[in-house]
Amino acid sequence: MAQARISAGLPPDIDPTKAPVAFGERALPKLNEELQSPELLTRQRALMALCDLVHDPENVYQAIHLGFLDNLKTLLLDHDSTVRQKSTEVLCIMAMHNVGRHGFIKDGVISALAQLLDDPVDICRKNTHQTFEMMAKLPEGAVGILHAGLIPSLVFKLKTELDEIQELILDTLANCVCADASEALASGAVTILKQKLMHSSVAIRSKAAWVLLGISTHPEGKNTVCEEDVIPALVNLLEDPEPEVQASAAGALMLATVIPQGKFSALGAEAIPPLLKLVAEETSKARLSAIKALTMLAELPEGRKTLLAHTDTFQQCLNDPCEAVKRAAEIAIRVIKWKPF
């Protein structure tokens, strides 16, 4: 079912054109004082002016130096929804800059934002998750999210959040699980992600497969993916009409089939025909991952026997302009043609 996009529009009684005119860093000390004002309208207008200023990384640096983050953390819990909305928007914009992300880690902004995961206002939650998503792109940010203990909450929110926010959560998880998948696994992430592989949204199907790929970089992740019978669902996605989904599914299969259980499961799910089809498509985004997944399956006698009849498909890849595809095809051919003596 289609969902309405989350609106960032302000209430009709708030006029952003009446926000104080600010000129660079000279306005920042005054705005910092206004953020602490008992007057609601003053706080709202200060935040609106700040939203414009923090697009400049120099102003972000100055704002952090002046102690804005402590005031913004306080305003995240303001009784007024517009104040919370604009506070999360300021933080979201600041997170676009490297200096902002590092400042958030140092000043504990991640834990403060976590208090808004259940905010009744959609745009406040969206801004919060956009900030987490940008933080997670930084290795220290992903670790910060892990240390804040947010993974179980993020996994749970995949069950209840709006589709637009689920996409952000999946992006955040994709970066975090590469650093450490233990909390995601303990929170039942694989079971929930398996369900998301059948979602009507292309983005959610693709991103869910991408998170499973990240989980499968860890030995315990590969085991859980196999135990939860996720591989047949990934095989089904190899024939998804969207190339982006195919690529994510092929990548997840490539890692899951590293272990014997994954190989047997993929063969049982008849993964070879759709994988060969992706290898044969010269423009397929999934070509490299599909070749590597088939190489894994060729390590089993029954897989090798089936693929011996399709070596021409791999030979064609030797002319691919991508060196990685050429090397993968060469290795695949060697493995398929391997004889014990």
Side-chain angles (χ1 to χ4, degrees):
M1 182 182 294
Q3 296 184 344
R5 300 294 292 180
I6 296 172
S7 172
L10 295 170
D13 59 327
I14 303 298
D15 185 358
T17 64
K18 293 182 179 178
V21 179
F23 298 95
E25 64 184 59
R26 289 175 294 172
L28 289 171
K30 184 175 185 295
L31 288 177
N32 202 24
E33 293 176 6
E34 292 177 346
L35 292 180
Q36 304 170 63
S37 171
E39 295 294 329
L40 175 59
L41 195 57
T42 300
R43 298 199 301 277
Q44 291 174 340
R45 290 177 175 171
L47 285 165
M48 289 171 197
L50 192 56
C51 282
D52 291 331
L53 285 172
V54 293
H55 283 282
D56 184 340
E58 178 60 29
N59 288 335
V60 174
Y61 174 82
Q62 292 294 336
I64 293 173
H65 179 71
L66 290 169
F68 270 73
L69 293 181
D70 285 336
N71 287 330
L72 289 169
K73 286 189 291 184
T74 299
L75 293 177
L76 291 175
L77 300 179
D78 197 281
H79 66 87
D80 180 68
S81 62
T82 301
V83 169
R84 297 199 307 278
Q85 173 184 339
K86 301 309 288 186
S87 296
T88 56
E89 184 178 337
V90 169
L91 291 172
C92 190
I93 297 170
M94 292 177 76
M96 296 177 183
H97 307 291
N98 199 42
V99 64
R101 293 192 291 269
H102 282 287
F104 288 6
I105 295 169
K106 182 179 178 182
D107 287 348
V109 171
I110 293 174
S111 296
L113 278 168
Q115 299 173 93
L116 273 70
L117 290 178
D118 295 313
D119 195 284
V121 180
D122 293 345
I123 188 61
C124 291
R125 300 196 312 279
K126 180 184 176 182
N127 288 340
T128 294
H129 284 289
Q130 278 188 318
T131 303
F132 287 155
E133 185 265 338
M134 286 184 281
M135 289 295 297
K137 292 178 180 178
L138 193 71
E140 301 97 310
V143 171
I145 291 171
L146 288 163
H147 286 172
L150 288 181
I151 300 302
S153 296
L154 294 177
V155 170
F156 177 77
K157 287 296 179 182
L158 287 174
K159 298 179 181 179
T160 60
E161 267 297 2
L162 300 170
D163 288 358
E164 194 174 343
I165 294 177
Q166 285 187 46
E167 292 179 26
L168 294 169
I169 294 173
L170 289 168
D171 283 336
T172 301
L173 288 172
N175 285 303
C176 290
V177 297
C178 289
D180 185 351
S182 58
E183 285 194 17
L185 292 171
S187 303
V190 172
T191 300
I192 296 172
L193 291 167
K194 179 182 176 182
Q195 297 169 355
K196 297 301 175 184
L197 294 177
M198 297 173 278
H199 200 281
S200 59
S201 163
V202 172
I204 289 178
R205 293 199 304 276
S206 177
K207 291 175 188 291
W210 198 252
V211 179
L212 286 166
L213 185 155
I215 286 175
S216 296
T217 59
H218 306 277
E220 65 273 24
K222 293 181 179 69
N223 291 330
T224 305
V225 166
C226 294
E227 291 165 3
E228 295 288 339
D229 203 27
V230 175
I231 287 180
L234 290 171
V235 171
N236 287 336
L237 290 186
L238 295 176
E239 298 182 282
D240 193 280
E242 297 294 332
E244 178 184 344
V245 177
Q246 294 175 353
S248 296
L253 271 175
M254 172 188 70
L255 291 176
T257 52
V258 168
I259 63 174
Q261 189 178 354
K263 292 179 175 67
F264 286 117
S265 180
L267 284 178
E270 299 184 353
I272 288 180
L275 284 171
L276 281 171
K277 184 178 178 181
L278 291 176
V279 172
E281 294 177 6
E282 294 182 7
T283 59
S284 171
K285 293 181 179 180
R287 196 177 206 188
L288 178 59
S289 295
I291 293 171
K292 291 184 176 182
L294 286 168
T295 304
M296 293 294 110
L297 298 183
E299 293 179 356
L300 293 179
E302 52 266 52
R304 188 180 306 114
K305 181 180 178 181
T306 301
L307 290 169
L308 274 170
H310 299 280
T311 53
D312 287 350
T313 301
F314 296 94
Q315 290 287 351
Q316 293 172 5
C317 295
L318 298 179
N319 297 320
D320 193 286
C322 175
E323 286 298 323
V325 170
K326 289 181 184 177
R327 289 195 298 271
E330 290 171 355
I331 294 170
I333 292 168
R334 287 202 300 269
V335 173
I336 292 168
K337 292 184 174 181
W338 177 84
K339 295 180 180 180
F341 52 83

